[in-house]
Amino acid sequence: GFYPSFILPSPGEVWRRWQEFYQQRLFLHHFAATFFEAFGGFCVAAATALPLSYFLAGNPFLEKIFTPYIVGLQAVPILALAPLLVIWFGFGMTSKVLVAALAAFFPILTNGVVGFRGTDRRFREMMAIMGADRKTIFWQLEIPSALPVLFGGLRLGLTLSVIGAVVGEFAGAGRGLGYLVNSARGNFDTPLIFVALMGLAFLGIGFYLLLSGLEYLAVPWKRRQSR
């Protein structure tokens, strides 16, 4: 009650604004746009970063060649790249998916290299001596041993993909929670900004819980070790 609502709204004002926006069927419209942009970007990042991380983990020489370029690209702020992607690919979902993919790509790639490189060489040699082919070693040794580290990178990448989608919406969009923040800011509708921020927080928590559940099912030995 010490500040006007356009500076710091009360929880009651935020709740009432959310109800108004929800009843107009606009909140789910913007929430779904950011959801698909973030999740699509994460899928693109995972589909490219995981194979590349496995390739680089098995080829140290090539890793030394490509690492400076990867680090250089990572050093460029995603906020600076987003306007370019919007100019090149338009104001639709494609540019937002690409921005989200760039945000999620590097943590997935880094954790993938660390995870695949952490496979115990003695186990690999033992399986080879026992007659296991390359495919069997990959699926039964390298993937299971790397899964805990891979899931760490995937969780971080999925969370960052939400940030990437919002940055893309800031650069230019007609819908999404980031667009909602931009629009509400211009209208001094601070309660609506809090509504959008709560939606983003809920989206990030939901993504984190989703991957934590998948890790719980995919890495049962880690579950047993924590008991």
Side-chain angles (χ1 to χ4, degrees):
F2 293 102
Y3 299 98
S5 62
F6 72 90
I7 295 180
L8 185 62
S10 67
E13 289 175 313
V14 175
W15 172 249
R16 285 191 296 271
R17 192 68 180 93
W18 181 86
Q19 287 181 315
E20 294 172 4
F21 211 66
Y22 183 80
Q23 289 170 358
Q24 295 170 358
R25 298 187 177 182
L26 293 174
F27 180 79
L28 291 180
H29 172 72
H30 292 288
F31 183 88
T34 303
F35 171 85
F36 286 115
E37 291 164 359
F39 190 73
F42 167 77
C43 291
V44 171
T48 54
L50 289 177
L52 181 59
S53 66
Y54 181 76
F55 178 74
L56 293 178
N59 298 271
F61 176 73
L62 292 179
E63 183 190 5
K64 292 179 181 179
I65 295 177
F66 285 108
T67 295
Y69 301 100
I70 295 173
V71 172
L73 184 59
Q74 187 178 8
V76 178
I78 194 71
L79 191 63
L81 289 174
L84 281 176
L85 294 176
V86 171
I87 291 172
W88 292 339
F89 297 97
F91 290 90
M93 184 175 289
T94 302
S95 59
K96 315 307 181 298
V97 169
L98 291 176
V99 176
L102 280 176
F105 177 81
F106 297 106
I108 297 176
L109 177 67
T110 303
N111 282 50
V113 171
V114 173
F116 286 122
R117 187 166 290 168
T119 303
D120 196 323
R121 183 178 299 177
R122 294 171 299 176
F123 292 155
R124 187 184 287 112
E125 294 173 351
M126 184 182 300
M127 290 187 68
I129 291 173
M130 296 176 66
D133 56 12
R134 193 73 189 85
K135 182 179 179 180
T136 303
I137 294 175
F138 175 75
W139 286 108
Q140 296 189 10
L141 174 63
E142 293 176 338
I143 288 291
S145 65
L147 274 179
V149 182
L150 291 181
F151 269 106
L154 290 173
R155 277 199 302 268
L156 182 58
L158 188 52
T159 304
L160 290 176
S161 69
V162 177
I163 299 175
V166 172
V167 170
E169 291 168 357
F170 279 169
R175 59 178 181 169
L177 295 176
Y179 164 80
L180 201 60
V181 171
N182 241 354
S183 176
R185 181 188 61 182
N187 296 324
F188 291 95
D189 191 352
T190 311
L192 185 56
I193 294 178
F194 276 92
V195 169
L197 294 178
M198 289 170 58
L200 289 171
F202 178 78
L203 184 60
I205 293 171
F207 280 156
Y208 183 87
L209 293 177
L210 172 64
L211 275 179
S212 295
L214 291 176
E215 182 182 15
Y216 183 83
L217 297 175
V219 193
W221 57 91
K222 183 179 178 182
R223 189 167 67 242
R224 289 193 295 267
Q225 290 174 356
S226 62
R227 292 177 181 173

